[in-house]
Amino acid sequence: MRGNVHVIDDLPVTFSGTPFQNKVWHALRTIPAGETLSYGALARQIGEPKAVRAVGLANGSNPIGLVVPCHRVIGSDGSLTGYGGGLERKKWLLAHEARYAGHGLFRKEKHR
């Protein structure tokens, strides 16, 4: 299983946040290993396109890092933004996942 970045995908997780946080945290688990998504795209994905800041706060409140991969969320300009473990760790995690998932870091987004 060494290098299998998908092994955590099927771990059962119980969320205990607010309904909005739970919505964000569930959506985080849909971002494939080795890919990233912007805060704005995540807000649109959960049907709350104007809640970008609230998505960022929920992302930062994630109590189960790695299993609920908050490190896969980035700025709309592709920049690495805040991460509780530090930006160097976030950069390492994304590079590690991209390497073992076998594809690039950025999910194609449709802008409206």
Side-chain angles (χ1 to χ4, degrees):
M1 291 278 197
R2 185 175 185 190
N4 183 353
V5 294
H6 304 288
V7 73
I8 62 171
D9 292 345
D10 295 324
L11 287 175
V13 175
T14 301
F15 297 102
S16 61
T18 68
F20 183 83
Q21 288 172 324
N22 292 340
K23 193 179 199 183
V24 171
W25 298 339
H26 279 284
L28 289 172
R29 293 202 78 195
T30 69
I31 305 170
E35 293 188 26
T36 58
L37 196 63
S38 71
Y39 292 96
L42 188 58
R44 289 189 300 275
Q45 180 178 317
I46 65 168
E48 303 281 352
K50 294 183 180 184
V52 177
R53 292 184 120 184
V55 164
L57 289 172
N59 191 52
S61 300
N62 170 21
I64 317 171
L66 299 182
V67 176
V68 179
C70 53
H71 62 279
R72 296 179 189 157
V73 183
I74 60 171
S76 61
D77 62 357
S79 63
L80 298 185
T81 56
Y83 181 64
L87 292 182
E88 282 302 313
R89 183 166 292 145
K90 181 173 186 165
K91 183 177 179 180
W92 184 90
L93 285 166
L94 292 172
H96 174 78
E97 288 182 349
R99 183 172 132 210
Y100 285 101
H103 48 78
L105 284 177
F106 299 95
R107 182 189 288 190
K108 302 286 187 230
E109 296 180 25
K110 291 182 182 178
H111 295 283
R112 297 174 198 186

